[in-house]
Amino acid sequence: MSLRPLTAAAYDQTIALWQACEGIGLSDADSRCGITKYLERNPGCSFGAWDGERLVGAILGGHDGRRGYIHHLAVHPDYRKRGIGRRLAEATLSALKAEGINKCHLFIFNDNAEGIGFWESLGWTLRKDISVISLVLEKGTC
């Protein structure tokens, strides 16, 4: 098992992995164009876990210069409970620290009990004092 920075060249494998994992919400922003832009803006902050040539885990992470963000972390069901998710999270957090980012947020569905439990096991705190409010500026801008 090896971790490597995630690149746009792995888009097809990455999107297939995310689609195969419960709890991952995908949107227009996860188009090839959207993910490519995100990776180019945040080089070295997203990672893939590879078993040979098979992508078995992926994390999408980046920052805005002030706060870090994790948008998707998924490990293929056949590869869970092996520490892959933890390693991916640690790699992204290490990359964010190297960029001078001192705090990170992540987005998770409220009903994703398994995901919330995973993040809490890594020391994250589920906040109940804030909510996310969204507005679509233009659908399909890529």
Side-chain angles (χ1 to χ4, degrees):
M1 193 72 50
S2 64
L3 294 189
R4 300 192 302 254
L6 202 56
T7 67
Y11 176 79
D12 290 333
Q13 288 176 287
T14 304
I15 202 76
L17 172 68
W18 288 338
Q19 290 170 336
C21 293
E22 265 188 63
I24 300 293
L26 300 174
S27 70
D28 290 343
D30 297 305
S31 67
R32 182 180 306 275
C33 175
I35 295 298
T36 298
K37 283 182 181 180
Y38 192 87
L39 293 172
E40 288 173 354
R41 179 178 165 84
N42 296 282
C45 292
S46 300
F47 293 88
W50 300 86
D51 183 4
E53 294 303 311
R54 182 179 183 196
L55 181 68
V56 299
I59 187 168
L60 184 65
H63 66 87
D64 61 13
R66 187 170 90 61
R67 293 284 186 254
Y69 299 95
I70 293 174
H71 297 278
H72 300 312
L73 167 62
V75 175
H76 190 280
D78 294 345
Y79 286 81
R80 292 187 182 159
K81 306 293 186 201
R82 300 183 191 184
I84 296 169
R86 176 183 297 270
R87 288 178 55 204
L88 287 165
E90 289 171 351
T92 289
L93 294 173
S94 179
L96 291 171
K97 286 179 191 174
E99 294 280 331
I101 303 301
N102 297 315
K103 187 173 187 178
C104 187
H105 301 292
L106 63 87
F107 299 95
I108 192 163
F109 288 117
N110 291 331
D111 64 355
N112 186 347
E114 184 179 2
I116 291 168
F118 168 79
W119 289 108
E120 288 178 333
S121 78
L122 297 183
W124 290 64
T125 302
L126 178 62
R127 293 186 61 173
K128 297 184 180 183
D129 60 325
I130 60 174
S131 296
V132 175
I133 299 174
S134 300
L135 172 67
V136 176
L137 300 177
E138 186 175 326
K139 194 167 176 91
T141 59
C142 276

